[in-house]
Amino acid sequence: MSAVKKYLKEETQWKQLGFEHLKSPDFYLSPWQRNRSSVPLLIFRMFLFLGTLAIVIASMVYYIQNAMYRFWFIYLTHWGLTVILLTTGFATAVSARCHFYGPLSAEFCLPWYVKTFWVLYNISVPIGFLITIFYWSVLYEAGIEEEMNHGLDVAVHALNSVIVFLLLITSKHPSRLLHFHHAIVFCFIYLIFNLIYHFAGGKNPDGDSWIYPVIDWSKPGVTIGIVACVALLLVILHMITVGLAAARDRIASRVLHPTDSGKTEQLPLRQQQA
């Protein structure tokens, strides 16, 4: 119990709102490896990025073929998928940069691209889980099939969570409790878009005045209640993400016993691995 109190005391300090983290290798090394090679995580992240890119392209092509390309951008699902694509892209870029040009320095502050990756990661993981839960528990049961193709529907609304989960368990950098607001701000921006789209006369592919039937601004009371429930669920999912990250680190530290390779941190990692 004392360990939990200590953890909560540390995680709820105001400084945790920022992006200070002295162990910069945590952003390009996996907790499941014994050496200091950036190659394994670089390759894995590249596969995640290419897999996400394939899903995005397939979804967009399907909408274009059905002359509904303008509707692709109105769904939170596709917004979330785009963020996951950016997250895996930045994750790959961070690993590649460290592999070819050497380790990061966190002496003063982390580079902007690492901070960008961290923010995108904080958004994409809980959002990915939220989209999967919300779609299959609410929308699918109501007969809503966004992709109009079951196979693509599964890829967009299920594989997205698999991708962010794999990104989560193979990453080493921390997930902080106070970073929950990143995903909340993202959803708030979408909510503003949803509201403007409705009152500007926007329609869904079936000609309805709402994007999602459960978020119908002609029924503001019910809609606001649902939005509040979704926001609460998003906070819970962020806490679950933090818990999964803590469990990941604890299990990895018990299963593996990383040893220092003794190679200098001043050389590009590709030279260290030679």
Side-chain angles (χ1 to χ4, degrees):
M1 195 66 180
S2 59
V4 174
K5 289 182 178 179
K6 182 180 179 181
Y7 172 80
L8 291 176
K9 182 178 180 180
E10 176 65 25
E11 284 296 310
T12 52
Q13 294 182 21
W14 285 110
K15 66 178 183 179
Q16 300 293 22
L17 282 169
F19 297 95
E20 294 80 15
H21 187 65
L22 296 178
K23 297 179 180 179
S24 57
D26 288 353
F27 289 93
Y28 55 85
L29 297 179
S30 173
W32 306 104
Q33 61 185 95
R34 294 179 182 275
N35 58 32
R36 300 186 64 80
S37 171
S38 62
V39 173
L41 193 57
L42 170 59
I43 295 175
F44 189 79
R45 285 175 167 179
M46 189 178 301
F47 275 113
L48 292 181
F49 170 70
L50 293 176
T52 308
L53 180 62
I55 295 173
V56 170
I57 291 175
S59 177
M60 294 189 76
V61 167
Y62 192 87
Y63 269 74
I64 292 172
Q65 288 178 339
N66 288 272
M68 296 189 302
Y69 58 90
R70 66 185 182 278
F71 293 113
W72 194 89
F73 302 94
I74 70 174
Y75 293 108
L76 178 62
T77 297
H78 297 146
W79 281 42
L81 196 59
T82 302
V83 172
I84 295 173
L85 178 64
L86 291 173
T87 305
T88 54
F90 267 89
T92 303
V94 169
S95 293
R97 187 265 175 223
C98 296
H99 174 65
F100 289 106
Y101 297 101
L104 298 169
S105 173
E107 182 178 356
F108 298 104
C109 64
L110 292 169
W112 69 269
Y113 49 87
V114 176
K115 292 181 179 180
T116 301
F117 162 58
W118 202 350
V119 172
L120 290 171
Y121 171 91
N122 291 336
I123 296 172
S124 63
V125 176
I127 286 292
F129 294 152
L130 174 69
I131 288 171
T132 298
I133 294 172
F134 190 72
Y135 182 77
W136 295 107
S137 64
V138 178
L139 298 180
Y140 188 75
E141 289 298 322
I144 305 296
E145 196 170 28
E146 286 179 1
E147 303 303 318
M148 293 157 286
N149 176 288
H150 187 68
L152 192 55
D153 224 34
V154 172
V156 171
H157 299 100
L159 289 183
N160 64 324
S161 284
V162 174
I163 289 172
V164 296
F165 178 73
L166 291 174
L167 182 65
L168 165 64
I169 64 173
T170 56
S171 296
K172 196 176 181 180
H173 67 272
S175 292
R176 293 179 174 169
L177 281 175
L178 295 186
H179 281 174
F180 73 91
H181 66 284
H182 296 156
I184 292 292
V185 169
F186 175 79
C187 279
F188 180 75
I189 294 173
Y190 176 79
L191 185 65
I192 296 299
F193 162 78
N194 190 296
L195 187 63
I196 293 174
Y197 190 82
H198 171 80
F199 285 103
K203 305 291 184 180
N204 66 15
D206 295 323
D208 301 305
S209 60
W210 37 259
I211 298 176
Y212 294 106
V214 293
I215 304 179
D216 184 356
W217 292 106
S218 64
K219 304 173 183 177
V222 175
T223 297
I224 291 174
I226 291 174
V227 168
C229 291
V230 170
L232 178 60
L233 176 60
L234 190 58
V235 173
I236 293 173
L237 288 173
H238 176 78
M239 293 180 178
I240 291 174
T241 300
V242 172
L244 289 173
R248 169 202 68 198
D249 295 340
R250 188 162 184 85
I251 294 172
S253 65
R254 292 196 174 195
V255 173
L256 301 177
H257 302 282
T259 57
D260 190 354
S261 63
K263 296 182 179 180
T264 175
E265 282 280 313
Q266 302 305 315
L267 294 175
L269 294 186
R270 57 193 175 96
Q271 294 182 24
Q272 293 182 24
Q273 296 152 17

